[in-house]
């Protein structure tokens, strides 16, 4: 039994030593410049709040409306046309095409976390989402 105990203890110690090395390497990943940038960024950004219940009736209604095509003039476009969830809320086009193929003058920003923006649209002309929501529906293009 004693013969087995020593190799067993040695293995455990070796495991700890390796883990310590890994942690040191991770700590070294950040240069002084990285840390300064991180500190600066935290003055502009903070941790997002925990998401609310995605199965709540309000969340489910929002999701349904996001994909609703009957809100468009041609009955074929939804929010997801220009802000596809599958590509992080952007269509990756220079400008987004409207219901008759005509193009608008700007590209679509992401809708992800838009609720937290200090203002809406590229020029910030809309103060919040409630005001912004009139834009896409009433836009002639
Ligand atoms: C035809 C393409 C198109 C459709 C459809 C569309 N959007 Fe947009 N969306 C845009 C463009 C382009 C902008 C930027 C316009 C600007 O800055 O003047 C924008 C801006 C936004 C913004 C502002 C985001 C930010 O970072 O400022 C939000 C939020 C948004 N749209 C949500 C929606 C929702 C919700 C719908 C569905 C009701 C929708 N959009 C439908 C093209 C579209």
């Amino acid at each position: 039994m004693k013969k087995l105990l020593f190799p067993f203890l040695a293995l455990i110690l070796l495991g700890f030593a390796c883990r310590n090395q890994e942690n040191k390497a991770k700590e070294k990943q950040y240069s002084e410049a990285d840390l300064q940038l991180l500190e600066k960024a935290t003055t502009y950004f903070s941790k997002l709040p925990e998401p609310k219940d995605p199965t709540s009736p309000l969340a489910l209604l929002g999701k349904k409306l996001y994909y609703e095509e009957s809100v468009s003039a041609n009955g074929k476009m939804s929010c997801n046309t220009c802000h596809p969830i599958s590509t992080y809320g952007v269509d990756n086009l220079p400008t987004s095409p409207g219901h008759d193929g005509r193009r608008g003058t700007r590209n679509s920003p992401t809708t992800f976390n838009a609720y937290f923006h200090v203002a809406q649209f590229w020029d910030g002309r809309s103060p919040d989402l409630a005001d912004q929501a009139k834009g896409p529906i009433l836009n002639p293009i």
Side-chain angles (χ1 to χ4, degrees), residues 65-66 71 77-83 91 96-99 105-111 114 117 119-123 125 129 132-133 136-137 141:
L65 288 173
Y66 199 88
V71 296
M77 297 178 75
S78 69
C79 311
N80 195 57
T81 307
C82 301
H83 305 284
D91 59 13
S96 300
H99 72 275
T105 51
R106 292 182 171 164
N107 64 356
S108 56
T110 182
T111 43
H117 294 174
Q120 302 294 323
F121 293 123
W122 289 115
D123 53 10
R125 67 183 180 278
L129 281 186
Q132 182 282 328
I137 306 278
I141 291 181

mmCIF file of all heavy atoms in Angstrom, residues 65-66 71 77-83 91 96-99 105-111 114 117 119-123 125 129 132-133 136-137 141, ligand 1:
data_model
loop_
_atom_site.group_PDB
_atom_site.id
_atom_site.type_symbol
_atom_site.label_atom_id
_atom_site.label_comp_id
_atom_site.label_asym_id
_atom_site.label_seq_id
_atom_site.Cartn_x
_atom_site.Cartn_y
_atom_site.Cartn_z
ATOM 1 N N LEU A 65 -43.428 39.649 -33.681
ATOM 2 C CA LEU A 65 -43.481 40.876 -34.473
ATOM 3 C C LEU A 65 -42.196 41.087 -35.266
ATOM 4 O O LEU A 65 -42.220 41.636 -36.368
ATOM 5 C CB LEU A 65 -43.745 42.083 -33.563
ATOM 6 C CG LEU A 65 -45.164 42.180 -33.003
ATOM 7 C CD1 LEU A 65 -45.255 43.305 -31.979
ATOM 8 C CD2 LEU A 65 -46.177 42.377 -34.123
ATOM 9 N N TYR A 66 -41.070 40.667 -34.716
ATOM 10 C CA TYR A 66 -39.775 40.846 -35.396
ATOM 11 C C TYR A 66 -39.764 40.107 -36.735
ATOM 12 O O TYR A 66 -39.156 40.547 -37.699
ATOM 13 C CB TYR A 66 -38.647 40.334 -34.492
ATOM 14 C CG TYR A 66 -37.287 40.858 -34.868
ATOM 15 C CD1 TYR A 66 -36.813 42.065 -34.352
ATOM 16 C CD2 TYR A 66 -36.460 40.148 -35.747
ATOM 17 C CE1 TYR A 66 -35.556 42.550 -34.691
ATOM 18 C CE2 TYR A 66 -35.203 40.626 -36.083
ATOM 19 C CZ TYR A 66 -34.764 41.823 -35.560
ATOM 20 O OH TYR A 66 -33.520 42.305 -35.894
ATOM 21 N N VAL A 71 -46.294 43.530 -41.883
ATOM 22 C CA VAL A 71 -46.106 44.949 -41.546
ATOM 23 C C VAL A 71 -45.500 45.725 -42.721
ATOM 24 O O VAL A 71 -45.428 46.947 -42.684
ATOM 25 C CB VAL A 71 -45.209 45.150 -40.280
ATOM 26 C CG1 VAL A 71 -45.872 44.580 -39.048
ATOM 27 C CG2 VAL A 71 -43.826 44.560 -40.493
ATOM 28 N N MET A 77 -41.521 41.585 -46.126
ATOM 29 C CA MET A 77 -40.365 42.029 -45.337
ATOM 30 C C MET A 77 -40.714 42.168 -43.861
ATOM 31 O O MET A 77 -41.804 42.592 -43.505
ATOM 32 C CB MET A 77 -39.862 43.382 -45.845
ATOM 33 C CG MET A 77 -39.369 43.320 -47.270
ATOM 34 S SD MET A 77 -38.844 44.929 -47.849
ATOM 35 C CE MET A 77 -37.293 45.073 -46.992
ATOM 36 N N SER A 78 -39.765 41.817 -43.065
ATOM 37 C CA SER A 78 -39.923 41.980 -41.612
ATOM 38 C C SER A 78 -38.667 42.674 -41.089
ATOM 39 O O SER A 78 -37.743 42.964 -41.853
ATOM 40 C CB SER A 78 -40.069 40.611 -40.951
ATOM 41 O OG SER A 78 -38.841 39.911 -41.031
ATOM 42 N N CYS A 79 -38.629 42.903 -39.813
ATOM 43 C CA CYS A 79 -37.413 43.465 -39.202
ATOM 44 C C CYS A 79 -36.221 42.564 -39.538
ATOM 45 O O CYS A 79 -35.117 43.033 -39.804
ATOM 46 C CB CYS A 79 -37.543 43.537 -37.683
ATOM 47 S SG CYS A 79 -39.059 44.296 -37.082
ATOM 48 N N ASN A 80 -36.494 41.268 -39.526
ATOM 49 C CA ASN A 80 -35.429 40.291 -39.747
ATOM 50 C C ASN A 80 -34.850 40.344 -41.163
ATOM 51 O O ASN A 80 -33.768 39.821 -41.411
ATOM 52 C CB ASN A 80 -35.964 38.885 -39.439
ATOM 53 C CG ASN A 80 -34.864 37.879 -39.281
ATOM 54 O OD1 ASN A 80 -33.978 38.063 -38.449
ATOM 55 N ND2 ASN A 80 -34.893 36.832 -40.090
ATOM 56 N N THR A 81 -35.541 41.013 -42.107
ATOM 57 C CA THR A 81 -35.010 41.131 -43.470
ATOM 58 C C THR A 81 -33.735 41.975 -43.463
ATOM 59 O O THR A 81 -32.731 41.604 -44.075
ATOM 60 C CB THR A 81 -36.054 41.805 -44.399
ATOM 61 O OG1 THR A 81 -37.271 41.100 -44.294
ATOM 62 C CG2 THR A 81 -35.578 41.829 -45.832
ATOM 63 N N CYS A 82 -33.772 43.105 -42.781
ATOM 64 C CA CYS A 82 -32.619 44.007 -42.760
ATOM 65 C C CYS A 82 -31.762 43.829 -41.505
ATOM 66 O O CYS A 82 -30.612 44.269 -41.481
ATOM 67 C CB CYS A 82 -33.080 45.458 -42.847
ATOM 68 S SG CYS A 82 -34.041 45.812 -44.326
ATOM 69 N N HIS A 83 -32.345 43.219 -40.495
ATOM 70 C CA HIS A 83 -31.599 42.973 -39.251
ATOM 71 C C HIS A 83 -31.672 41.480 -38.920
ATOM 72 O O HIS A 83 -32.228 41.091 -37.883
ATOM 73 C CB HIS A 83 -32.214 43.764 -38.090
ATOM 74 C CG HIS A 83 -32.338 45.239 -38.306
ATOM 75 N ND1 HIS A 83 -31.253 46.094 -38.221
ATOM 76 C CD2 HIS A 83 -33.410 46.020 -38.591
ATOM 77 C CE1 HIS A 83 -31.667 47.340 -38.440
ATOM 78 N NE2 HIS A 83 -32.969 47.326 -38.667
ATOM 79 N N ASP A 91 -27.594 43.231 -42.089
ATOM 80 C CA ASP A 91 -27.677 42.525 -43.374
ATOM 81 C C ASP A 91 -26.359 42.579 -44.153
ATOM 82 O O ASP A 91 -26.247 42.006 -45.223
ATOM 83 C CB ASP A 91 -28.857 43.042 -44.216
ATOM 84 C CG ASP A 91 -28.777 44.540 -44.521
ATOM 85 O OD1 ASP A 91 -27.704 45.146 -44.301
ATOM 86 O OD2 ASP A 91 -29.785 45.108 -44.981
ATOM 87 N N SER A 96 -29.674 49.177 -47.214
ATOM 88 C CA SER A 96 -30.697 48.127 -47.226
ATOM 89 C C SER A 96 -31.756 48.394 -48.294
ATOM 90 O O SER A 96 -32.232 49.516 -48.429
ATOM 91 C CB SER A 96 -31.381 48.062 -45.863
ATOM 92 O OG SER A 96 -30.439 47.771 -44.867
ATOM 93 N N PRO A 97 -32.139 47.356 -49.072
ATOM 94 C CA PRO A 97 -33.199 47.537 -50.072
ATOM 95 C C PRO A 97 -34.579 47.561 -49.422
ATOM 96 O O PRO A 97 -34.841 46.832 -48.472
ATOM 97 C CB PRO A 97 -33.049 46.314 -50.980
ATOM 98 C CG PRO A 97 -32.295 45.308 -50.191
ATOM 99 C CD PRO A 97 -31.585 46.009 -49.079
ATOM 100 N N GLY A 98 -35.470 48.424 -49.931
ATOM 101 C CA GLY A 98 -36.819 48.538 -49.393
ATOM 102 C C GLY A 98 -37.802 47.591 -50.060
ATOM 103 O O GLY A 98 -37.398 46.673 -50.797
ATOM 104 N N HIS A 99 -39.117 47.849 -49.884
ATOM 105 C CA HIS A 99 -40.147 46.906 -50.343
ATOM 106 C C HIS A 99 -40.239 46.775 -51.859
ATOM 107 O O HIS A 99 -40.682 45.757 -52.366
ATOM 108 C CB HIS A 99 -41.515 47.305 -49.760
ATOM 109 C CG HIS A 99 -42.100 48.535 -50.381
ATOM 110 N ND1 HIS A 99 -41.780 49.810 -49.942
ATOM 111 C CD2 HIS A 99 -42.959 48.689 -51.412
ATOM 112 C CE1 HIS A 99 -42.438 50.683 -50.674
ATOM 113 N NE2 HIS A 99 -43.158 50.031 -51.569
ATOM 114 N N THR A 105 -30.634 55.148 -47.831
ATOM 115 C CA THR A 105 -29.368 55.885 -47.908
ATOM 116 C C THR A 105 -28.343 55.399 -46.883
ATOM 117 O O THR A 105 -27.199 55.831 -46.897
ATOM 118 C CB THR A 105 -29.621 57.383 -47.660
ATOM 119 O OG1 THR A 105 -30.370 57.522 -46.453
ATOM 120 C CG2 THR A 105 -30.381 58.001 -48.819
ATOM 121 N N ARG A 106 -28.782 54.499 -45.989
ATOM 122 C CA ARG A 106 -27.855 54.047 -44.944
ATOM 123 C C ARG A 106 -27.910 52.538 -44.798
ATOM 124 O O ARG A 106 -28.875 51.904 -45.212
ATOM 125 C CB ARG A 106 -28.250 54.680 -43.609
ATOM 126 C CG ARG A 106 -28.008 56.167 -43.607
ATOM 127 C CD ARG A 106 -28.354 56.754 -42.292
ATOM 128 N NE ARG A 106 -27.912 58.140 -42.252
ATOM 129 C CZ ARG A 106 -28.322 59.015 -41.369
ATOM 130 N NH1 ARG A 106 -29.175 58.660 -40.426
ATOM 131 N NH2 ARG A 106 -27.877 60.255 -41.388
ATOM 132 N N ASN A 107 -26.863 51.994 -44.175
ATOM 133 C CA ASN A 107 -26.893 50.552 -43.911
ATOM 134 C C ASN A 107 -27.516 50.279 -42.546
ATOM 135 O O ASN A 107 -27.662 51.186 -41.720
ATOM 136 C CB ASN A 107 -25.505 49.921 -44.061
ATOM 137 C CG ASN A 107 -24.507 50.441 -43.049
ATOM 138 O OD1 ASN A 107 -24.806 51.336 -42.273
ATOM 139 N ND2 ASN A 107 -23.335 49.890 -43.065
ATOM 140 N N SER A 108 -27.906 49.070 -42.359
ATOM 141 C CA SER A 108 -28.626 48.733 -41.126
ATOM 142 C C SER A 108 -27.653 48.437 -39.978
ATOM 143 O O SER A 108 -26.823 47.557 -40.094
ATOM 144 C CB SER A 108 -29.536 47.527 -41.371
ATOM 145 O OG SER A 108 -28.788 46.436 -41.863
ATOM 146 N N PRO A 109 -27.803 49.181 -38.890
ATOM 147 C CA PRO A 109 -26.984 48.855 -37.711
ATOM 148 C C PRO A 109 -27.567 47.626 -37.020
ATOM 149 O O PRO A 109 -28.707 47.250 -37.293
ATOM 150 C CB PRO A 109 -27.144 50.094 -36.817
ATOM 151 C CG PRO A 109 -28.438 50.713 -37.239
ATOM 152 C CD PRO A 109 -28.695 50.309 -38.650
ATOM 153 N N THR A 110 -26.821 47.030 -36.155
ATOM 154 C CA THR A 110 -27.362 45.852 -35.467
ATOM 155 C C THR A 110 -28.481 46.243 -34.503
ATOM 156 O O THR A 110 -28.476 47.336 -33.942
ATOM 157 C CB THR A 110 -26.264 45.080 -34.694
ATOM 158 O OG1 THR A 110 -26.885 43.919 -34.104
ATOM 159 C CG2 THR A 110 -25.644 45.906 -33.582
ATOM 160 N N THR A 111 -29.430 45.342 -34.369
ATOM 161 C CA THR A 111 -30.502 45.564 -33.398
ATOM 162 C C THR A 111 -30.127 44.931 -32.046
ATOM 163 O O THR A 111 -30.829 45.139 -31.065
ATOM 164 C CB THR A 111 -31.824 44.944 -33.895
ATOM 165 O OG1 THR A 111 -31.553 43.665 -34.449
ATOM 166 C CG2 THR A 111 -32.472 45.819 -34.939
ATOM 167 N N ALA A 114 -29.841 47.079 -28.768
ATOM 168 C CA ALA A 114 -30.156 48.466 -29.124
ATOM 169 C C ALA A 114 -30.880 49.188 -27.981
ATOM 170 O O ALA A 114 -30.744 50.401 -27.831
ATOM 171 C CB ALA A 114 -31.003 48.509 -30.404
ATOM 172 N N HIS A 117 -28.753 51.575 -26.011
ATOM 173 C CA HIS A 117 -28.054 52.711 -26.622
ATOM 174 C C HIS A 117 -28.562 54.037 -26.049
ATOM 175 O O HIS A 117 -29.727 54.155 -25.696
ATOM 176 C CB HIS A 117 -28.267 52.726 -28.141
ATOM 177 C CG HIS A 117 -27.641 51.552 -28.830
ATOM 178 N ND1 HIS A 117 -27.813 51.292 -30.163
ATOM 179 C CD2 HIS A 117 -26.848 50.565 -28.372
ATOM 180 C CE1 HIS A 117 -27.159 50.201 -30.496
ATOM 181 N NE2 HIS A 117 -26.565 49.733 -29.432
ATOM 182 N N ALA A 119 -28.937 56.653 -27.781
ATOM 183 C CA ALA A 119 -29.817 57.194 -28.819
ATOM 184 C C ALA A 119 -29.891 56.168 -29.947
ATOM 185 O O ALA A 119 -29.071 55.253 -30.013
ATOM 186 C CB ALA A 119 -29.274 58.517 -29.336
ATOM 187 N N GLN A 120 -30.884 56.341 -30.823
ATOM 188 C CA GLN A 120 -31.078 55.381 -31.918
ATOM 189 C C GLN A 120 -30.773 56.023 -33.269
ATOM 190 O O GLN A 120 -30.875 57.233 -33.418
ATOM 191 C CB GLN A 120 -32.522 54.875 -31.904
ATOM 192 C CG GLN A 120 -32.929 54.216 -30.603
ATOM 193 C CD GLN A 120 -32.188 52.925 -30.310
ATOM 194 O OE1 GLN A 120 -31.896 52.139 -31.217
ATOM 195 N NE2 GLN A 120 -31.866 52.698 -29.051
ATOM 196 N N PHE A 121 -30.461 55.212 -34.259
ATOM 197 C CA PHE A 121 -30.068 55.569 -35.630
ATOM 198 C C PHE A 121 -28.631 56.097 -35.623
ATOM 199 O O PHE A 121 -28.112 56.505 -34.590
ATOM 200 C CB PHE A 121 -31.014 56.602 -36.263
ATOM 201 C CG PHE A 121 -32.410 56.048 -36.513
ATOM 202 C CD1 PHE A 121 -33.522 56.667 -35.970
ATOM 203 C CD2 PHE A 121 -32.596 54.918 -37.279
ATOM 204 C CE1 PHE A 121 -34.800 56.158 -36.194
ATOM 205 C CE2 PHE A 121 -33.871 54.404 -37.503
ATOM 206 C CZ PHE A 121 -34.969 55.034 -36.953
ATOM 207 N N TRP A 122 -28.033 56.054 -36.824
ATOM 208 C CA TRP A 122 -26.618 56.437 -36.930
ATOM 209 C C TRP A 122 -26.378 57.858 -36.430
ATOM 210 O O TRP A 122 -25.328 58.154 -35.862
ATOM 211 C CB TRP A 122 -26.128 56.308 -38.384
ATOM 212 C CG TRP A 122 -26.003 54.881 -38.847
ATOM 213 C CD1 TRP A 122 -26.723 54.265 -39.832
ATOM 214 C CD2 TRP A 122 -25.086 53.898 -38.355
ATOM 215 N NE1 TRP A 122 -26.325 52.960 -39.970
ATOM 216 C CE2 TRP A 122 -25.321 52.707 -39.089
ATOM 217 C CE3 TRP A 122 -24.096 53.887 -37.391
ATOM 218 C CZ2 TRP A 122 -24.596 51.529 -38.872
ATOM 219 C CZ3 TRP A 122 -23.379 52.716 -37.169
ATOM 220 C CH2 TRP A 122 -23.624 51.564 -37.902
ATOM 221 N N ASP A 123 -27.341 58.751 -36.683
ATOM 222 C CA ASP A 123 -27.154 60.147 -36.270
ATOM 223 C C ASP A 123 -27.782 60.431 -34.902
ATOM 224 O O ASP A 123 -27.815 61.577 -34.455
ATOM 225 C CB ASP A 123 -27.736 61.097 -37.329
ATOM 226 C CG ASP A 123 -29.193 60.755 -37.674
ATOM 227 O OD1 ASP A 123 -29.803 59.912 -36.974
ATOM 228 O OD2 ASP A 123 -29.703 61.324 -38.644
ATOM 229 N N ARG A 125 -30.822 60.528 -33.981
ATOM 230 C CA ARG A 125 -31.976 61.443 -34.039
ATOM 231 C C ARG A 125 -33.164 60.962 -33.218
ATOM 232 O O ARG A 125 -34.092 61.707 -32.955
ATOM 233 C CB ARG A 125 -32.402 61.701 -35.480
ATOM 234 C CG ARG A 125 -32.986 60.492 -36.207
ATOM 235 C CD ARG A 125 -33.303 60.840 -37.658
ATOM 236 N NE ARG A 125 -33.866 59.717 -38.391
ATOM 237 C CZ ARG A 125 -33.140 58.744 -38.937
ATOM 238 N NH1 ARG A 125 -31.821 58.744 -38.808
ATOM 239 N NH2 ARG A 125 -33.725 57.764 -39.610
ATOM 240 N N LEU A 129 -36.141 53.492 -28.216
ATOM 241 C CA LEU A 129 -36.733 52.511 -29.131
ATOM 242 C C LEU A 129 -38.187 52.816 -29.461
ATOM 243 O O LEU A 129 -38.627 52.588 -30.587
ATOM 244 C CB LEU A 129 -36.644 51.094 -28.532
ATOM 245 C CG LEU A 129 -35.295 50.396 -28.652
ATOM 246 C CD1 LEU A 129 -35.414 48.962 -28.147
ATOM 247 C CD2 LEU A 129 -34.784 50.401 -30.084
ATOM 248 N N GLN A 132 -37.999 55.304 -32.093
ATOM 249 C CA GLN A 132 -37.349 54.710 -33.264
ATOM 250 C C GLN A 132 -38.294 53.785 -34.019
ATOM 251 O O GLN A 132 -38.255 53.717 -35.240
ATOM 252 C CB GLN A 132 -36.101 53.935 -32.801
ATOM 253 C CG GLN A 132 -35.279 53.286 -33.889
ATOM 254 C CD GLN A 132 -35.894 51.998 -34.408
ATOM 255 O OE1 GLN A 132 -36.538 51.273 -33.664
ATOM 256 N NE2 GLN A 132 -35.701 51.736 -35.685
ATOM 257 N N ALA A 133 -39.169 53.094 -33.299
ATOM 258 C CA ALA A 133 -40.025 52.066 -33.915
ATOM 259 C C ALA A 133 -40.919 52.612 -35.023
ATOM 260 O O ALA A 133 -41.320 51.873 -35.924
ATOM 261 C CB ALA A 133 -40.872 51.400 -32.834
ATOM 262 N N PRO A 136 -39.025 52.490 -39.294
ATOM 263 C CA PRO A 136 -39.080 51.492 -40.366
ATOM 264 C C PRO A 136 -40.473 51.287 -40.948
ATOM 265 O O PRO A 136 -40.628 51.100 -42.154
ATOM 266 C CB PRO A 136 -38.572 50.197 -39.697
ATOM 267 C CG PRO A 136 -38.512 50.452 -38.240
ATOM 268 C CD PRO A 136 -38.492 51.924 -38.036
ATOM 269 N N ILE A 137 -41.491 51.368 -40.104
ATOM 270 C CA ILE A 137 -42.855 51.120 -40.587
ATOM 271 C C ILE A 137 -43.332 52.260 -41.494
ATOM 272 O O ILE A 137 -43.974 52.025 -42.522
ATOM 273 C CB ILE A 137 -43.833 50.986 -39.387
ATOM 274 C CG1 ILE A 137 -43.337 49.921 -38.405
ATOM 275 C CG2 ILE A 137 -45.251 50.725 -39.860
ATOM 276 C CD1 ILE A 137 -43.661 48.508 -38.752
ATOM 277 N N ILE A 141 -39.533 54.044 -48.282
ATOM 278 C CA ILE A 141 -38.726 53.024 -49.000
ATOM 279 C C ILE A 141 -38.834 51.688 -48.300
ATOM 280 O O ILE A 141 -39.122 50.659 -48.910
ATOM 281 C CB ILE A 141 -37.245 53.472 -49.095
ATOM 282 C CG1 ILE A 141 -37.158 54.667 -50.040
ATOM 283 C CG2 ILE A 141 -36.380 52.326 -49.636
ATOM 284 C CD1 ILE A 141 -35.768 55.191 -50.251
HETATM 285 C C1 LIG B 1 -35.558 47.947 -45.281
HETATM 286 C C2 LIG B 1 -34.621 47.610 -44.235
HETATM 287 C C3 LIG B 1 -35.038 47.732 -42.787
HETATM 288 C C4 LIG B 1 -36.119 47.162 -42.186
HETATM 289 C C5 LIG B 1 -37.206 46.283 -42.827
HETATM 290 C C6 LIG B 1 -36.039 47.512 -40.787
HETATM 291 N N1 LIG B 1 -34.934 48.276 -40.551
HETATM 292 FE FE1 LIG B 1 -34.286 48.934 -38.756
HETATM 293 N N2 LIG B 1 -32.871 50.033 -39.676
HETATM 294 C C7 LIG B 1 -32.593 50.019 -41.022
HETATM 295 C C8 LIG B 1 -31.628 51.047 -41.333
HETATM 296 C C9 LIG B 1 -31.039 51.344 -42.713
HETATM 297 C C10 LIG B 1 -31.348 51.704 -40.113
HETATM 298 C C11 LIG B 1 -30.434 52.916 -39.932
HETATM 299 C C12 LIG B 1 -31.192 54.153 -40.371
HETATM 300 C C13 LIG B 1 -30.565 55.458 -39.964
HETATM 301 O O1 LIG B 1 -29.605 55.471 -39.183
HETATM 302 O O2 LIG B 1 -31.035 56.487 -40.442
HETATM 303 C C14 LIG B 1 -32.135 51.018 -39.082
HETATM 304 C C15 LIG B 1 -32.080 51.307 -37.730
HETATM 305 C C16 LIG B 1 -32.716 50.564 -36.761
HETATM 306 C C17 LIG B 1 -32.492 50.691 -35.335
HETATM 307 C C18 LIG B 1 -31.507 51.629 -34.662
HETATM 308 C C19 LIG B 1 -30.314 50.859 -34.141
HETATM 309 C C20 LIG B 1 -29.169 51.756 -33.758
HETATM 310 O O3 LIG B 1 -28.105 51.217 -33.382
HETATM 311 O O4 LIG B 1 -29.251 52.988 -33.848
HETATM 312 C C21 LIG B 1 -33.313 49.798 -34.716
HETATM 313 C C22 LIG B 1 -33.437 49.536 -33.215
HETATM 314 C C23 LIG B 1 -34.068 49.141 -35.759
HETATM 315 N N3 LIG B 1 -33.666 49.620 -36.979
HETATM 316 C C24 LIG B 1 -35.033 48.200 -35.524
HETATM 317 C C25 LIG B 1 -35.895 47.735 -36.517
HETATM 318 C C26 LIG B 1 -37.102 46.981 -36.254
HETATM 319 C C27 LIG B 1 -37.596 46.578 -34.859
HETATM 320 C C28 LIG B 1 -37.655 46.709 -37.451
HETATM 321 C C29 LIG B 1 -38.969 46.008 -37.719
HETATM 322 C C30 LIG B 1 -40.164 46.687 -37.265
HETATM 323 C C31 LIG B 1 -36.764 47.258 -38.476
HETATM 324 N N4 LIG B 1 -35.722 47.896 -37.858
HETATM 325 C C32 LIG B 1 -36.960 47.121 -39.836
HETATM 326 C C33 LIG B 1 -33.142 49.169 -41.958
HETATM 327 C C34 LIG B 1 -34.302 48.443 -41.753
#
